Each structure stands twice: as C-alpha cells, then as structure tokens.
Amino acid sequence: MSRIGKLPVNLPAGVTVEVAPDNTVSVKGPLGTLSQKVDSDIKVEVGTHKEKDSDKEIPAVFVTRPTNQPRHRSLHGLYRALINNMVVGVSKGYEIKQELVGVGFKAEVKGDVLEMSLGYSHDTFLKLPPEVTATAVTEKKGAPIVTLKSIDKQLVGQVAAKLRSLRKPEPYKGKGIKFVGEVIRRKAGKSANAK
C-alpha cells in the first residue's frame, strides 16, 4: 500500500466533504469551498475511524485503489495529498512570505494589483487572482515583505513562483525576491589583487 495513500484524512470541526457521482470531491469549510476531480479508478469515501489512544470516533476521508498497478499506486498517494491540502486550506489557509532585497525596492498592494519597484527603469505590476490576497509591509531599515494568502495551496504557490521570477535573487549581493528564510548560495566577487 502507498504509505501516504492509506492514511485517512482527518476532518477538523466545521469541515464537510462530499463526493459527487462523477467522482468530484468538494470540501467545504469556514474559509471557503474547494473541489477536485478524482480519477474514476480511485475510490473516495467519507467515514469515521478511531483515534489511536482513545475510542473517540473522528470523521475522515479514505482513499482506496483497485489494484497495485504502478499507475494506480501513484494516483493513490497523489489524490490523498490533494484532498488533505484542500482540507487544510478551507480550515486554516496557506500563507507564503517573500522578501524584496535590494536598495530602493518597494511593494504596494492596490486592489488586486501588486505594484513593485524592483530596480528596473519602470515599475512592475502583478495582477493577483481573486482567490489570493496580498499584503505588503515595509519596516524601518528592513526589506519589504509581501505576504500571499489563499485557501488553494497550488494557486498560492504558483503566484509566489511568478512573483519570484520577476527578479530572481542573484548570487553576489543577494538582491532580488526571495522567500523568507530562504538561504541564497553566495559567490565571491572578483578580488582586486587576484593574479
């Protein structure tokens, strides 16, 4: 069995899961609703299971596969992970923080557009999808930090990757857009008296 696929997805309070006849899984929670079409071979069921140390019944989603074919094995873990991401998304949400490192780098959110000065001769604009919200904070003597929030893990990751691609961190001074906590591999510059 797939080690990820066989694990049940526990449902926190306030989260409900429905499986439509066409195998579309809809997850509804306090932050919103997400849905995902699941391959027709993979079976998704909503039930309960007992907690390890107590006899308390917990609502959970179970994902099962029909055979041990490599295709079924790979889909098993994939759909279990996608359903888990949806459950976490509608209950807690996802957040990605990015730092704009560089002299004169600025960021400002105007409606659904992220407006930035990234050291180019012109300002850079990034239109955000309606499911993603952004905030930009600049502390004194600190780099501006852009925070992206969404219930959809895949979408917020895609927007963060797009934002980073606008000015990737360079290895000499570390200027560019990087994730908070990301370590940039630095290179030594040319030394003046090198033979």
Side-chain angles (χ1 to χ4, degrees):
M1 289 278 297
S2 162
R3 278 186 289 182
I4 298 286
K6 70 179 180 183
L7 296 172
V9 179
N10 292 340
L11 299 178
V15 176
T16 57
V17 175
E18 287 176 12
V19 184
D22 66 341
N23 230 15
T24 301
V25 178
S26 299
V27 183
K28 200 174 187 180
L31 299 181
T33 307
L34 290 170
S35 61
Q36 170 74 45
K37 179 94 171 76
V38 177
D39 191 276
S40 56
D41 291 346
I42 303 295
K43 192 175 172 190
V44 180
E45 291 174 305
V46 181
T48 57
H49 76 103
K50 284 188 175 155
E51 223 174 349
K52 271 185 183 174
D53 301 329
S54 69
D55 290 337
K56 200 172 147 195
E57 292 280 332
I58 305 172
V61 177
F62 301 92
V63 182
T64 52
R65 63 172 188 250
T67 68
N68 269 344
Q69 288 176 15
R71 180 178 169 276
H72 286 157
R73 292 207 326 239
S74 62
L75 292 177
H76 191 197
L78 168 75
Y79 285 118
R80 190 266 174 205
L82 290 176
I83 291 168
N84 186 55
N85 290 346
M86 290 196 296
V87 169
V88 173
V90 297
S91 56
K92 297 177 189 170
Y94 289 99
E95 181 181 275
I96 294 178
K97 290 188 174 186
Q98 288 176 300
E99 208 173 344
L100 279 66
V101 181
V103 178
F105 281 22
K106 286 199 235 33
E108 198 180 343
V109 180
K110 290 182 178 174
D112 62 347
V113 176
L114 184 59
E115 192 178 317
M116 295 163 291
S117 298
L118 300 175
Y120 298 122
S121 60
H122 52 82
D123 282 355
T124 309
F125 301 93
L126 179 67
K127 190 164 182 355
L128 300 168
E131 298 88 356
V132 177
T133 57
T135 53
V137 179
T138 308
E139 290 171 13
K140 273 192 178 172
K141 294 189 178 176
I145 291 177
V146 175
T147 307
L148 301 169
K149 287 183 183 176
S150 177
I151 61 171
D152 191 334
K153 187 179 186 179
Q154 189 177 342
L155 185 64
V156 77
Q158 222 169 344
V159 173
K162 176 70 182 159
L163 179 59
R164 190 178 188 273
S165 73
L166 297 174
R167 184 102 196 209
K168 284 189 180 157
E170 50 90 30
Y172 297 101
K173 290 185 176 175
K175 276 169 64 173
I177 300 173
K178 70 182 189 85
F179 294 103
V180 171
E182 181 184 0
V183 178
I184 306 297
R185 284 187 65 188
R186 304 295 282 272
K187 289 182 181 177
K190 291 179 182 174
S191 54
N193 53 7
K195 299 280 181 198

